[in-house]
């Protein structure tokens, strides 16, 4: 079982630098340069999601990240044969299995693990054998967390999107209920021996209560940080997130 030792890690998701690059075609801005800046600014890891439609990160970005990053890469991917092959070729530090729908703008919900247990257990086994830490992006739902544990995942990443959306919409009753569910489910996942991560939609306004959950070991944050970097630069944007995370934990 994991313990609570060590500081809360920050994984910086660089997908949206690639979104901007792809909007124009060409090479700029370079998400790998952003990853190196994030490293210098104190990111503990870099997260990148290679989607089936390559709408942001592309294969050569993953090649370059694997070749040049000093911090671990958390490779987000859908549970497809193509992505499994790519992950097995690169053997990143971690793979995070996410649901993926072509028509969605971002990853909208957690993975349905309980209904797909056998299939997913077989899918992640070779990734584990290759030495990747396997994480499952999941809602704060006891049934799904139990299933994630049963299939042999080492990590779950709790989807914080509904909590963040409720906060942005001023729907504080739902926000607080989402937060409470995540609090309970972090403790439950930890009791099973799963390492707990969280992410999606987190901002300076929403990060503190999630960072304060003692079981959460890592937050993965992208869209807000890349947006904020337009105004204050990527390094300062990350430094402020780091400060809030440390303060929440203190
Ligand atoms: N974690 C996972 C599994 C995700 O799919 C995403 C979005 O790509 C994030 C974290 C980061 O979300 P955001 O970009 O909204 O901070």
């Amino acid at each position: 079982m994991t313990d609570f030792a060590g500081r809360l890690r920050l994984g910086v998701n660089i997908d949206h630098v690639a979104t901007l690059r792809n909007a124009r075609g060409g090479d700029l801005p370079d998400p790998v340069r952003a990853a190196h800046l994030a490293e210098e600014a104190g990111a503990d890891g870099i997260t990148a999601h290679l989607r089936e439609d390559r709408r942001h990160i592309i294969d050569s970005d993953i090649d370059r990240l694997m070749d040049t990053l000093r911090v671990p890469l958390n490779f987000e991917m859908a549970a497809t044969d193509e992505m499994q092959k790519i992950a097995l070729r690169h053997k990143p530090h971690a793979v995070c299995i996410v649901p993926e729908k072509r028509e969605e703008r971002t990853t909208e919900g957690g993975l349905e693990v309980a209904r797909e247990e056998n299939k997913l257990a077989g899918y992640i086994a070779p990734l584990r054998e290759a030495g990747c830490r396997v994480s499952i992006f999941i809602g704060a739902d006891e049934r799904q967390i139990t299933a994630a544990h049963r299939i042999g995942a080492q990590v779950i990443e709790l989807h914080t999107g509904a909590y963040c959306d409720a906060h942005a919409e001023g729907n504080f009753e739902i926000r607080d209920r989402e937060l409470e569910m995540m609090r309970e489910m972090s403790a439950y996942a930890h009791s099973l021996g799963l390492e707990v991560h969280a992410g999606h939609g987190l901002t300076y306004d929403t990060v503190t209560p999630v960072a304060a959950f003692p079981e959460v070991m890592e937050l993965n944050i992208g869209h807000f940080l890349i947006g904020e970097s337009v105004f204050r630069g990527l390094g300062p944007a990350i430094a402020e997130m780091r400060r809030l995370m440390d303060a929440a934990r203190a």
Side-chain angles (χ1 to χ4, degrees):
M1 184 176 296
T2 50
D3 59 27
F4 297 150
R7 72 173 193 166
L8 176 61
R9 295 192 301 267
L10 172 60
V12 173
N13 181 317
I14 52 158
D15 292 347
H16 294 291
V17 180
T19 306
L20 203 54
R21 172 193 62 192
N22 299 357
R24 266 289 167 100
D27 298 332
L28 301 175
D30 180 7
V32 178
R33 182 176 171 201
H36 293 150
L37 272 176
E39 264 181 352
E40 280 166 30
D44 302 291
I46 297 297
T47 292
H49 182 179
L50 186 66
R51 291 186 77 107
E52 186 196 4
D53 61 9
R54 309 302 198 266
R55 72 173 69 159
H56 36 60
I57 293 297
I58 57 175
D59 299 63
S60 59
D61 296 329
I62 299 293
D63 296 344
R64 290 188 300 136
L65 288 168
M66 284 302 299
D67 285 348
T68 61
L69 274 186
R70 289 190 307 267
V71 294
L73 177 67
N74 175 32
F75 179 64
E76 288 183 5
M77 56 183 240
T80 64
D81 291 344
E82 182 200 16
M83 289 302 148
Q84 191 191 49
K85 275 199 201 96
I86 294 170
L88 289 174
R89 190 167 74 240
H90 285 299
K91 300 186 180 56
H93 166 79
V95 296
C96 181
I97 312 289
V98 302
E100 202 173 291
K101 291 191 227 119
R102 251 169 225 255
E103 63 277 14
E104 70 190 354
R105 265 182 298 175
T106 180
T107 315
E108 282 165 3
L111 197 71
E112 170 54 60
V113 194
R115 257 192 280 128
E116 305 275 350
E117 255 190 67
N118 289 342
K119 197 170 135 218
L120 282 169
Y123 185 84
I124 69 173
L127 296 166
R128 280 195 59 160
E129 280 156 26
C132 302
R133 279 181 76 68
V134 176
S135 169
I136 307 282
F137 191 44
I138 207 172
D141 176 332
E142 186 172 329
R143 205 171 118 255
Q144 302 294 347
I145 293 169
T146 308
H149 177 244
R150 265 201 304 258
I151 65 170
Q154 294 124 307
V155 180
I156 57 151
E157 179 165 331
L158 288 174
H159 197 313
T160 52
Y163 153 72
C164 292
D165 287 348
H167 178 84
E169 288 156 11
N171 202 332
F172 299 135
E173 213 175 296
I174 294 183
R175 177 196 63 184
D176 294 348
R177 202 166 62 222
E178 291 289 337
L179 202 55
E180 198 43 44
M181 285 293 289
M182 289 194 286
R183 188 195 318 280
E184 280 174 27
M185 289 302 114
S186 300
Y188 174 63
H190 180 75
S191 76
L192 296 177
L194 289 160
E195 183 170 315
V196 183
H197 300 175
H200 205 283
L202 290 169
T203 65
Y204 295 152
D205 288 340
T206 51
V207 73
T208 298
V210 181
F213 297 161
E215 298 86 0
V216 172
M217 308 292 285
E218 178 175 308
L219 298 179
N220 285 302
I221 308 179
H223 184 263
F224 174 80
L225 286 175
I226 301 306
E228 189 65 14
S229 73
V230 172
F231 305 106
R232 52 169 111 194
L234 188 56
I238 291 171
E240 175 62 4
M241 190 60 83
R242 183 75 259 171
R243 189 189 68 74
L244 290 167
M245 287 165 58
D246 290 342
R249 215 54 172 214

